[in-house]
Amino acid sequence: MKLLTLRRVTAAAALSGLIFFGGSTEAVGQSAGMTAFREAYTAQTTANRVFEQDLALSAPTFHLDIDSRAQVLEGSFRMSGTFTWTYTDLDANSSTNKNIPFYIEQVGNDMTLYVKRRGTWSKMLLPGLPSGIAILWRTTDPAIRNDTLNAVKSVEILSDTPDLRIMNVTLDGAKLADILAKNSAATFANLKGDDLAAHKGIFDRWLTAFRSTDVNFSWSVNKPSLTTATVAFDLTEIMRAYARSVLEESAAGRIVLTDAERKLLDAVGYYSELRAYTTQIAARKDTMVELPADLSAAPENDDSLNDVFLEMTSVVQK
């Protein structure tokens, strides 16, 4: 039985990496780096925060760029943006470029993705990794914050001036995986049968990928206000580990992939790069993420991600 498609794998990776930018972490220990990090972290609990973000996933035959704006507001999470996808089929000597708008909203445990294709909006639930990461963005729950406490392995201060503090932070991938597993558990509540098995399978592969490596990011903090200036993640090793695990399962006969999917997964697993960059901006009325009124009437389509990436990888013959 085919439990996933490459398009869903790629989309989940991109969205999860994008959402990963804003997660809050708190460091333990008494080093100067940990102390500086803790000071900045404590100031990140403001109820309303808005970020401009960019994610790039690239390999020899494709490039995915997601430009977006994310908002944490009174315990909810919203994001708006555009998928820009360039894909080349070397065998067919053909390529395509697509721009697809999207919105994401999470209230409680339910995260909904809205995508617009050929002038029409559709929606689907996003359980698992994207939802679990978004909870880190918006939580004020002391239990979740305490769970995150031990995930920070080290903090190195690269620069500390009266205006700006720049830190390199290393998170323990295995501990982060445990946190995400706990945060995401309730997001599967509305799934059953094969759909639940498929989503859980995807999520478990992501947890294995996180456990295989540490996560490093650079965090620049505005010193006078102790607000985030920029955050930069390199999530390449996690992305590659995930893709390789899917290929290994295919080789073992546990999942079925088409030749095209196998080729793309091979490119992701061994040659891809996944990098993310975010900047915090002022939370004002004109910077807030507003969902269009017609989204409420969007029909449900559990294959929205598959449909989006099918469209993206439907090449135009030269």
Side-chain angles (χ1 to χ4, degrees), residues 133-150:
I133 292 174
I135 290 173
L136 290 179
W137 271 74
R138 59 184 182 81
T139 186
T140 57
D141 185 341
I144 295 178
R145 292 167 68 87
N146 287 336
D147 284 342
T148 312
L149 195 73
N150 292 320

mmCIF file with all atom_site columns, all heavy atoms in Angstrom, residues 133-150:
data_model
loop_
_atom_site.group_PDB
_atom_site.id
_atom_site.type_symbol
_atom_site.label_atom_id
_atom_site.label_alt_id
_atom_site.label_comp_id
_atom_site.label_asym_id
_atom_site.label_entity_id
_atom_site.label_seq_id
_atom_site.pdbx_PDB_ins_code
_atom_site.Cartn_x
_atom_site.Cartn_y
_atom_site.Cartn_z
_atom_site.occupancy
_atom_site.B_iso_or_equiv
_atom_site.pdbx_formal_charge
_atom_site.auth_seq_id
_atom_site.auth_comp_id
_atom_site.auth_asym_id
_atom_site.auth_atom_id
_atom_site.pdbx_PDB_model_num
ATOM 1   N N   . ILE A 1 133 ? 5.281  22.045 15.936 1.00 0.00 ? 133 ILE A N   1
ATOM 2   C CA  . ILE A 1 133 ? 6.225  23.157 15.949 1.00 0.00 ? 133 ILE A CA  1
ATOM 3   C C   . ILE A 1 133 ? 5.509  24.471 16.227 1.00 0.00 ? 133 ILE A C   1
ATOM 4   O O   . ILE A 1 133 ? 6.005  25.321 16.981 1.00 0.00 ? 133 ILE A O   1
ATOM 5   C CB  . ILE A 1 133 ? 6.990  23.218 14.615 1.00 0.00 ? 133 ILE A CB  1
ATOM 6   C CG1 . ILE A 1 133 ? 7.920  22.002 14.490 1.00 0.00 ? 133 ILE A CG1 1
ATOM 7   C CG2 . ILE A 1 133 ? 7.814  24.507 14.521 1.00 0.00 ? 133 ILE A CG2 1
ATOM 8   C CD1 . ILE A 1 133 ? 8.607  21.901 13.149 1.00 0.00 ? 133 ILE A CD1 1
ATOM 9   N N   . ALA A 1 134 ? 4.328  24.658 15.624 1.00 0.00 ? 134 ALA A N   1
ATOM 10  C CA  . ALA A 1 134 ? 3.585  25.905 15.841 1.00 0.00 ? 134 ALA A CA  1
ATOM 11  C C   . ALA A 1 134 ? 3.211  26.090 17.309 1.00 0.00 ? 134 ALA A C   1
ATOM 12  O O   . ALA A 1 134 ? 3.162  27.222 17.804 1.00 0.00 ? 134 ALA A O   1
ATOM 13  C CB  . ALA A 1 134 ? 2.334  25.924 14.968 1.00 0.00 ? 134 ALA A CB  1
ATOM 14  N N   . ILE A 1 135 ? 2.951  24.983 18.000 1.00 0.00 ? 135 ILE A N   1
ATOM 15  C CA  . ILE A 1 135 ? 2.641  25.088 19.430 1.00 0.00 ? 135 ILE A CA  1
ATOM 16  C C   . ILE A 1 135 ? 3.811  25.702 20.185 1.00 0.00 ? 135 ILE A C   1
ATOM 17  O O   . ILE A 1 135 ? 3.632  26.473 21.135 1.00 0.00 ? 135 ILE A O   1
ATOM 18  C CB  . ILE A 1 135 ? 2.254  23.707 19.993 1.00 0.00 ? 135 ILE A CB  1
ATOM 19  C CG1 . ILE A 1 135 ? 0.885  23.293 19.440 1.00 0.00 ? 135 ILE A CG1 1
ATOM 20  C CG2 . ILE A 1 135 ? 2.219  23.718 21.520 1.00 0.00 ? 135 ILE A CG2 1
ATOM 21  C CD1 . ILE A 1 135 ? 0.481  21.875 19.783 1.00 0.00 ? 135 ILE A CD1 1
ATOM 22  N N   . LEU A 1 136 ? 5.039  25.399 19.764 1.00 0.00 ? 136 LEU A N   1
ATOM 23  C CA  . LEU A 1 136 ? 6.214  26.009 20.397 1.00 0.00 ? 136 LEU A CA  1
ATOM 24  C C   . LEU A 1 136 ? 6.224  27.519 20.202 1.00 0.00 ? 136 LEU A C   1
ATOM 25  O O   . LEU A 1 136 ? 6.729  28.257 21.050 1.00 0.00 ? 136 LEU A O   1
ATOM 26  C CB  . LEU A 1 136 ? 7.501  25.404 19.836 1.00 0.00 ? 136 LEU A CB  1
ATOM 27  C CG  . LEU A 1 136 ? 7.807  23.954 20.206 1.00 0.00 ? 136 LEU A CG  1
ATOM 28  C CD1 . LEU A 1 136 ? 9.105  23.517 19.536 1.00 0.00 ? 136 LEU A CD1 1
ATOM 29  C CD2 . LEU A 1 136 ? 7.897  23.776 21.706 1.00 0.00 ? 136 LEU A CD2 1
ATOM 30  N N   . TRP A 1 137 ? 5.727  27.973 19.065 1.00 0.00 ? 137 TRP A N   1
ATOM 31  C CA  . TRP A 1 137 ? 5.652  29.409 18.795 1.00 0.00 ? 137 TRP A CA  1
ATOM 32  C C   . TRP A 1 137 ? 4.817  30.128 19.844 1.00 0.00 ? 137 TRP A C   1
ATOM 33  O O   . TRP A 1 137 ? 5.202  31.159 20.375 1.00 0.00 ? 137 TRP A O   1
ATOM 34  C CB  . TRP A 1 137 ? 4.953  29.638 17.456 1.00 0.00 ? 137 TRP A CB  1
ATOM 35  C CG  . TRP A 1 137 ? 5.788  29.660 16.243 1.00 0.00 ? 137 TRP A CG  1
ATOM 36  C CD1 . TRP A 1 137 ? 6.371  28.602 15.623 1.00 0.00 ? 137 TRP A CD1 1
ATOM 37  C CD2 . TRP A 1 137 ? 6.107  30.808 15.450 1.00 0.00 ? 137 TRP A CD2 1
ATOM 38  N NE1 . TRP A 1 137 ? 7.010  29.012 14.492 1.00 0.00 ? 137 TRP A NE1 1
ATOM 39  C CE2 . TRP A 1 137 ? 6.866  30.355 14.366 1.00 0.00 ? 137 TRP A CE2 1
ATOM 40  C CE3 . TRP A 1 137 ? 5.805  32.158 15.554 1.00 0.00 ? 137 TRP A CE3 1
ATOM 41  C CZ2 . TRP A 1 137 ? 7.345  31.217 13.384 1.00 0.00 ? 137 TRP A CZ2 1
ATOM 42  C CZ3 . TRP A 1 137 ? 6.274  33.014 14.577 1.00 0.00 ? 137 TRP A CZ3 1
ATOM 43  C CH2 . TRP A 1 137 ? 7.038  32.539 13.514 1.00 0.00 ? 137 TRP A CH2 1
ATOM 44  N N   . ARG A 1 138 ? 3.625  29.588 20.067 1.00 0.00 ? 138 ARG A N   1
ATOM 45  C CA  . ARG A 1 138 ? 2.601  30.381 20.741 1.00 0.00 ? 138 ARG A CA  1
ATOM 46  C C   . ARG A 1 138 ? 2.354  29.989 22.187 1.00 0.00 ? 138 ARG A C   1
ATOM 47  O O   . ARG A 1 138 ? 1.545  30.617 22.871 1.00 0.00 ? 138 ARG A O   1
ATOM 48  C CB  . ARG A 1 138 ? 1.283  30.269 19.976 1.00 0.00 ? 138 ARG A CB  1
ATOM 49  C CG  . ARG A 1 138 ? 0.753  28.859 19.832 1.00 0.00 ? 138 ARG A CG  1
ATOM 50  C CD  . ARG A 1 138 ? -0.506 28.829 18.964 1.00 0.00 ? 138 ARG A CD  1
ATOM 51  N NE  . ARG A 1 138 ? -1.076 27.504 18.838 1.00 0.00 ? 138 ARG A NE  1
ATOM 52  C CZ  . ARG A 1 138 ? -1.850 26.921 19.732 1.00 0.00 ? 138 ARG A CZ  1
ATOM 53  N NH1 . ARG A 1 138 ? -2.141 27.565 20.861 1.00 0.00 ? 138 ARG A NH1 1
ATOM 54  N NH2 . ARG A 1 138 ? -2.334 25.722 19.529 1.00 0.00 ? 138 ARG A NH2 1
ATOM 55  N N   . THR A 1 139 ? 3.049  28.964 22.692 1.00 0.00 ? 139 THR A N   1
ATOM 56  C CA  . THR A 1 139 ? 2.710  28.465 24.011 1.00 0.00 ? 139 THR A CA  1
ATOM 57  C C   . THR A 1 139 ? 3.161  29.395 25.142 1.00 0.00 ? 139 THR A C   1
ATOM 58  O O   . THR A 1 139 ? 4.202  30.046 25.056 1.00 0.00 ? 139 THR A O   1
ATOM 59  C CB  . THR A 1 139 ? 3.321  27.066 24.249 1.00 0.00 ? 139 THR A CB  1
ATOM 60  O OG1 . THR A 1 139 ? 2.835  26.568 25.501 1.00 0.00 ? 139 THR A OG1 1
ATOM 61  C CG2 . THR A 1 139 ? 4.849  27.150 24.295 1.00 0.00 ? 139 THR A CG2 1
ATOM 62  N N   . THR A 1 140 ? 2.349  29.469 26.156 1.00 0.00 ? 140 THR A N   1
ATOM 63  C CA  . THR A 1 140 ? 2.738  30.083 27.433 1.00 0.00 ? 140 THR A CA  1
ATOM 64  C C   . THR A 1 140 ? 2.635  29.038 28.544 1.00 0.00 ? 140 THR A C   1
ATOM 65  O O   . THR A 1 140 ? 2.713  29.376 29.715 1.00 0.00 ? 140 THR A O   1
ATOM 66  C CB  . THR A 1 140 ? 1.823  31.280 27.769 1.00 0.00 ? 140 THR A CB  1
ATOM 67  O OG1 . THR A 1 140 ? 0.450  30.839 27.806 1.00 0.00 ? 140 THR A OG1 1
ATOM 68  C CG2 . THR A 1 140 ? 1.978  32.387 26.740 1.00 0.00 ? 140 THR A CG2 1
ATOM 69  N N   . ASP A 1 141 ? 2.457  27.775 28.160 1.00 0.00 ? 141 ASP A N   1
ATOM 70  C CA  . ASP A 1 141 ? 2.308  26.667 29.105 1.00 0.00 ? 141 ASP A CA  1
ATOM 71  C C   . ASP A 1 141 ? 3.659  26.385 29.767 1.00 0.00 ? 141 ASP A C   1
ATOM 72  O O   . ASP A 1 141 ? 4.616  25.995 29.094 1.00 0.00 ? 141 ASP A O   1
ATOM 73  C CB  . ASP A 1 141 ? 1.808  25.435 28.354 1.00 0.00 ? 141 ASP A CB  1
ATOM 74  C CG  . ASP A 1 141 ? 1.505  24.270 29.280 1.00 0.00 ? 141 ASP A CG  1
ATOM 75  O OD1 . ASP A 1 141 ? 1.997  24.271 30.422 1.00 0.00 ? 141 ASP A OD1 1
ATOM 76  O OD2 . ASP A 1 141 ? 0.783  23.356 28.851 1.00 0.00 ? 141 ASP A OD2 1
ATOM 77  N N   . PRO A 1 142 ? 3.752  26.537 31.086 1.00 0.00 ? 142 PRO A N   1
ATOM 78  C CA  . PRO A 1 142 ? 5.028  26.287 31.767 1.00 0.00 ? 142 PRO A CA  1
ATOM 79  C C   . PRO A 1 142 ? 5.539  24.864 31.555 1.00 0.00 ? 142 PRO A C   1
ATOM 80  O O   . PRO A 1 142 ? 6.754  24.649 31.491 1.00 0.00 ? 142 PRO A O   1
ATOM 81  C CB  . PRO A 1 142 ? 4.702  26.548 33.238 1.00 0.00 ? 142 PRO A CB  1
ATOM 82  C CG  . PRO A 1 142 ? 3.506  27.436 33.220 1.00 0.00 ? 142 PRO A CG  1
ATOM 83  C CD  . PRO A 1 142 ? 2.719  27.017 32.018 1.00 0.00 ? 142 PRO A CD  1
ATOM 84  N N   . ALA A 1 143 ? 4.632  23.896 31.433 1.00 0.00 ? 143 ALA A N   1
ATOM 85  C CA  . ALA A 1 143 ? 5.059  22.512 31.243 1.00 0.00 ? 143 ALA A CA  1
ATOM 86  C C   . ALA A 1 143 ? 5.801  22.340 29.922 1.00 0.00 ? 143 ALA A C   1
ATOM 87  O O   . ALA A 1 143 ? 6.837  21.670 29.857 1.00 0.00 ? 143 ALA A O   1
ATOM 88  C CB  . ALA A 1 143 ? 3.854  21.583 31.298 1.00 0.00 ? 143 ALA A CB  1
ATOM 89  N N   . ILE A 1 144 ? 5.264  22.950 28.844 1.00 0.00 ? 144 ILE A N   1
ATOM 90  C CA  . ILE A 1 144 ? 5.926  22.856 27.544 1.00 0.00 ? 144 ILE A CA  1
ATOM 91  C C   . ILE A 1 144 ? 7.253  23.606 27.581 1.00 0.00 ? 144 ILE A C   1
ATOM 92  O O   . ILE A 1 144 ? 8.271  23.132 27.059 1.00 0.00 ? 144 ILE A O   1
ATOM 93  C CB  . ILE A 1 144 ? 5.017  23.403 26.432 1.00 0.00 ? 144 ILE A CB  1
ATOM 94  C CG1 . ILE A 1 144 ? 3.765  22.519 26.295 1.00 0.00 ? 144 ILE A CG1 1
ATOM 95  C CG2 . ILE A 1 144 ? 5.762  23.467 25.097 1.00 0.00 ? 144 ILE A CG2 1
ATOM 96  C CD1 . ILE A 1 144 ? 2.788  22.995 25.252 1.00 0.00 ? 144 ILE A CD1 1
ATOM 97  N N   . ARG A 1 145 ? 7.258  24.756 28.222 1.00 0.00 ? 145 ARG A N   1
ATOM 98  C CA  . ARG A 1 145 ? 8.503  25.520 28.307 1.00 0.00 ? 145 ARG A CA  1
ATOM 99  C C   . ARG A 1 145 ? 9.548  24.769 29.122 1.00 0.00 ? 145 ARG A C   1
ATOM 100 O O   . ARG A 1 145 ? 10.741 24.775 28.792 1.00 0.00 ? 145 ARG A O   1
ATOM 101 C CB  . ARG A 1 145 ? 8.213  26.894 28.903 1.00 0.00 ? 145 ARG A CB  1
ATOM 102 C CG  . ARG A 1 145 ? 7.373  27.778 27.981 1.00 0.00 ? 145 ARG A CG  1
ATOM 103 C CD  . ARG A 1 145 ? 6.826  28.993 28.695 1.00 0.00 ? 145 ARG A CD  1
ATOM 104 N NE  . ARG A 1 145 ? 7.881  29.925 29.063 1.00 0.00 ? 145 ARG A NE  1
ATOM 105 C CZ  . ARG A 1 145 ? 8.342  30.885 28.260 1.00 0.00 ? 145 ARG A CZ  1
ATOM 106 N NH1 . ARG A 1 145 ? 7.846  31.018 27.047 1.00 0.00 ? 145 ARG A NH1 1
ATOM 107 N NH2 . ARG A 1 145 ? 9.273  31.704 28.666 1.00 0.00 ? 145 ARG A NH2 1
ATOM 108 N N   . ASN A 1 146 ? 9.105  24.073 30.159 1.00 0.00 ? 146 ASN A N   1
ATOM 109 C CA  . ASN A 1 146 ? 10.050 23.287 30.951 1.00 0.00 ? 146 ASN A CA  1
ATOM 110 C C   . ASN A 1 146 ? 10.554 22.078 30.172 1.00 0.00 ? 146 ASN A C   1
ATOM 111 O O   . ASN A 1 146 ? 11.722 21.686 30.296 1.00 0.00 ? 146 ASN A O   1
ATOM 112 C CB  . ASN A 1 146 ? 9.384  22.823 32.255 1.00 0.00 ? 146 ASN A CB  1
ATOM 113 C CG  . ASN A 1 146 ? 9.207  23.962 33.238 1.00 0.00 ? 146 ASN A CG  1
ATOM 114 O OD1 . ASN A 1 146 ? 9.930  24.955 33.190 1.00 0.00 ? 146 ASN A OD1 1
ATOM 115 N ND2 . ASN A 1 146 ? 8.240  23.824 34.137 1.00 0.00 ? 146 ASN A ND2 1
ATOM 116 N N   . ASP A 1 147 ? 9.683  21.483 29.349 1.00 0.00 ? 147 ASP A N   1
ATOM 117 C CA  . ASP A 1 147 ? 10.125 20.375 28.503 1.00 0.00 ? 147 ASP A CA  1
ATOM 118 C C   . ASP A 1 147 ? 11.211 20.834 27.534 1.00 0.00 ? 147 ASP A C   1
ATOM 119 O O   . ASP A 1 147 ? 12.119 20.077 27.190 1.00 0.00 ? 147 ASP A O   1
ATOM 120 C CB  . ASP A 1 147 ? 8.941  19.818 27.700 1.00 0.00 ? 147 ASP A CB  1
ATOM 121 C CG  . ASP A 1 147 ? 8.019  18.962 28.541 1.00 0.00 ? 147 ASP A CG  1
ATOM 122 O OD1 . ASP A 1 147 ? 8.455  18.521 29.625 1.00 0.00 ? 147 ASP A OD1 1
ATOM 123 O OD2 . ASP A 1 147 ? 6.874  18.733 28.124 1.00 0.00 ? 147 ASP A OD2 1
ATOM 124 N N   . THR A 1 148 ? 11.094 22.068 27.072 1.00 0.00 ? 148 THR A N   1
ATOM 125 C CA  . THR A 1 148 ? 12.056 22.615 26.114 1.00 0.00 ? 148 THR A CA  1
ATOM 126 C C   . THR A 1 148 ? 13.367 23.010 26.783 1.00 0.00 ? 148 THR A C   1
ATOM 127 O O   . THR A 1 148 ? 14.387 23.172 26.107 1.00 0.00 ? 148 THR A O   1
ATOM 128 C CB  . THR A 1 148 ? 11.437 23.837 25.412 1.00 0.00 ? 148 THR A CB  1
ATOM 129 O OG1 . THR A 1 148 ? 10.134 23.502 24.977 1.00 0.00 ? 148 THR A OG1 1
ATOM 130 C CG2 . THR A 1 148 ? 12.260 24.260 24.204 1.00 0.00 ? 148 THR A CG2 1
ATOM 131 N N   . LEU A 1 149 ? 13.334 23.152 28.085 1.00 0.00 ? 149 LEU A N   1
ATOM 132 C CA  . LEU A 1 149 ? 14.469 23.660 28.848 1.00 0.00 ? 149 LEU A CA  1
ATOM 133 C C   . LEU A 1 149 ? 15.770 22.932 28.530 1.00 0.00 ? 149 LEU A C   1
ATOM 134 O O   . LEU A 1 149 ? 16.810 23.558 28.293 1.00 0.00 ? 149 LEU A O   1
ATOM 135 C CB  . LEU A 1 149 ? 14.165 23.532 30.338 1.00 0.00 ? 149 LEU A CB  1
ATOM 136 C CG  . LEU A 1 149 ? 15.042 24.294 31.314 1.00 0.00 ? 149 LEU A CG  1
ATOM 137 C CD1 . LEU A 1 149 ? 14.740 25.774 31.259 1.00 0.00 ? 149 LEU A CD1 1
ATOM 138 C CD2 . LEU A 1 149 ? 14.797 23.767 32.732 1.00 0.00 ? 149 LEU A CD2 1
ATOM 139 N N   . ASN A 1 150 ? 15.704 21.603 28.488 1.00 0.00 ? 150 ASN A N   1
ATOM 140 C CA  . ASN A 1 150 ? 16.921 20.814 28.336 1.00 0.00 ? 150 ASN A CA  1
ATOM 141 C C   . ASN A 1 150 ? 17.306 20.542 26.891 1.00 0.00 ? 150 ASN A C   1
ATOM 142 O O   . ASN A 1 150 ? 18.254 19.807 26.641 1.00 0.00 ? 150 ASN A O   1
ATOM 143 C CB  . ASN A 1 150 ? 16.757 19.481 29.073 1.00 0.00 ? 150 ASN A CB  1
ATOM 144 C CG  . ASN A 1 150 ? 16.695 19.664 30.567 1.00 0.00 ? 150 ASN A CG  1
ATOM 145 O OD1 . ASN A 1 150 ? 17.422 20.479 31.136 1.00 0.00 ? 150 ASN A OD1 1
ATOM 146 N ND2 . ASN A 1 150 ? 15.795 18.934 31.216 1.00 0.00 ? 150 ASN A ND2 1
#
